[in-house]
Structures are given as C-alpha cells and as structure tokens.
Amino acid sequence: QVQLVQSGAEVKKPGASVMVSCKASGYTFTSIDINWVRQATGQGLEWMGWVNPNNGHTGYAQKFQGRVTMTRDTSISTAYMELSGLRSEDTAVYYCVRLGYYGSASWFNWGQGTLVTVSS
Amino acid sequence: QSVLTQPPSVSAAPGQKVTISCSGGSSNIGSYYVSWYQQFPGTAPTLLIYDNDKRPSGIPDRFSGSKSGTSATLGITALQTGDEADYYCGTWDKSLNAGVFGGGTKLTVL
C-alpha cells in the first residue's frame, strides 16, 4: 500500500530554515507529483506547491515564492520541502501528499504530518 | 480567507442525513473536479471523494459528492457519531495556478 513517511517535529528560531522529508513507498515514486500542504493549529488546509519526482520540476503558491524549495532524491524515493526565513506564522503541521493523477486536484495519500514550531 | 467557501459547522442527529456545501468560482470549481477530505483531530486528512463524485476504495457509500456549476456538495447519510470530524473541499484554481481548499466544516453528530 502507498505510504508517505515524514521526518520528525522541528523547533526553529525566527529567520532560520527548516527541511522536511517525505519517504514514499508502495508505488513508483517517479510516476506522480508530490504536493505539500500545511495547516496551522486550529486552521484550514493551505496548499504550498508541487514537485515532479521524475524531472524535478516544481510549482509554488505565490505566497511562498522565494522562500520555499521543493526537491527530491529518486535514489531513496524521498521528497523534500525547505522553507526559509521562518516566522511565527509558519508554525504549522506540514503534510506531503501524493497527487491522484495528472490533471486532477485530488490528493490521494497523505503523510502523517510534521509539526514545525517557530519560536524565539 | 479561503478561496472556497464552506459553512463553519453543521450538525444533525445520528441516523440522519447532512450536506456540506462548497462554493467557488469559474476559475476553480467551475473548471475542475472537486475532492473532499475528512480529518479527525490530531490526524492527517484522508480522501473521501474525488472527481466530484467518486469514492476511493474503502469509503462507504453513505458518503457522496456532487457538483453543479461553481458549487459542490458533500452528502453523508445514516450519520454515525464516528463521522464527527472536519471536512474540507479542494480543487485547482487556474487563475492562481495553485491548489485551493475550503476553510473546513466541523460536523457534529448530536
């Protein structure tokens, strides 16, 4: 079965960067995009962007342009999301999500989430 | 402020039916399929409905989805206390060139 296993919780100071990893299994990693979605405590879901594991191409929500970088390592079927210039408003649970199929806006499989806390 | 609009909360009694609406515009719901997600406290969301009205394997047929124009609806019949959760709609927005979600609806089964 498809599984996305994310790295553990992080505590960062304002201005720092954080990298969250997402290891995929149960399917061909390069066959479909990985998206990243975050959720602040008590808030809704916020889409951040996507990475194509096959060619490394990316697309980011305008809000995160210039601060987020999504990459992948096909040798270990792992996707990464790095967010820089952290501020308190970035405190949230970050999810990696497997897109259902190209052309869809359906996020089929979700990682367990990684809590990133930004605090001085 | 979410691009897609959902009611903050809905409630109904066990055994009853409830619907949750999701309103958008021509650049999102009007142009793309809609999906729905269920989220219990402290856990990741799970896919409930995709392509407007399709259920992934394992999702009971008590859950249904529909779309008309720039709005979509999630229906849940024969409500159970275990259905108490937050529900989100999602789709793509071609103007933003981004995925978008509703603000979420908290379902209470009285």
Side-chain angles (χ1 to χ4, degrees):
Chain A
Q1 74 284 18
V2 174
Q3 272 197 307
L4 300 173
V5 179
Q6 299 182 220
S7 49
E10 302 265 12
V11 179
K12 296 291 183 180
K13 294 194 181 306
S17 298
V18 69
M19 178 175 279
V20 179
S21 67
C22 170
K23 183 169 179 59
S25 62
Y27 73 101
T28 301
F29 178 63
T30 52
S31 65
I32 195 69
D33 291 358
I34 291 288
N35 287 208
W36 290 86
V37 174
R38 77 177 187 180
Q39 184 175 38
T41 302
Q43 302 301 308
L45 303 172
E46 183 175 31
W47 186 86
M48 298 180 69
W50 57 267
V51 57
N52 182 319
N54 184 49
N55 54 28
H57 291 176
T58 55
Y60 306 136
Q62 187 169 10
K63 175 177 180 177
F64 301 102
Q65 291 272 3
R67 277 210 307 146
V68 72
T69 304
M70 296 177 187
T71 57
R72 91 288 187 223
D73 184 338
T74 57
S75 68
I76 55 172
S77 300
T78 299
Y80 302 92
M81 186 284 300
E82 183 175 27
L83 189 62
S84 61
L86 290 170
R87 29 203 192 234
S88 58
E89 312 89 86
D90 294 318
T91 294
V93 175
Y94 290 75
Y95 295 103
C96 62
V97 196
R98 175 180 172 260
L99 189 67
Y101 61 89
Y102 285 112
S104 79
S106 300
W107 297 278
F108 270 50
N109 308 96
W110 295 63
Q112 84 275 19
T114 296
L115 175 60
V116 175
T117 302
V118 183
S119 174
S120 55
Chain B
Q1 190 79 354
S2 301
V3 172
L4 306 180
T5 301
Q6 298 181 233
S9 63
V10 295
S11 62
Q16 298 300 304
K17 173 181 177 176
V18 71
T19 60
I20 298 173
S21 62
C22 176
S23 177
S26 58
S27 63
N28 42 70
I29 293 179
S31 298
Y32 296 94
Y33 287 133
V34 175
S35 52
W36 290 89
Y37 304 85
Q38 179 187 57
Q39 185 180 34
F40 296 106
T43 68
T46 58
L47 180 66
L48 210 50
I49 297 287
Y50 69 100
D51 292 358
N52 300 336
D53 57 9
K54 296 181 175 59
R55 283 176 285 105
S57 60
I59 301 300
D61 58 7
R62 299 189 299 108
F63 295 90
S64 64
S66 64
K67 183 184 113 169
S68 177
T70 59
S71 293
T73 301
L74 173 70
I76 311 173
T77 61
L79 276 171
Q80 303 172 1
T81 55
D83 295 331
E84 285 202 339
D86 293 324
Y87 292 84
Y88 294 89
C89 58
T91 188
W92 188 260
D93 189 295
K94 61 183 176 182
S95 295
L96 298 173
N97 198 26
V100 291
F101 291 97
T105 298
K106 182 176 181 58
L107 169 63
T108 301
V109 181
L110 303 165

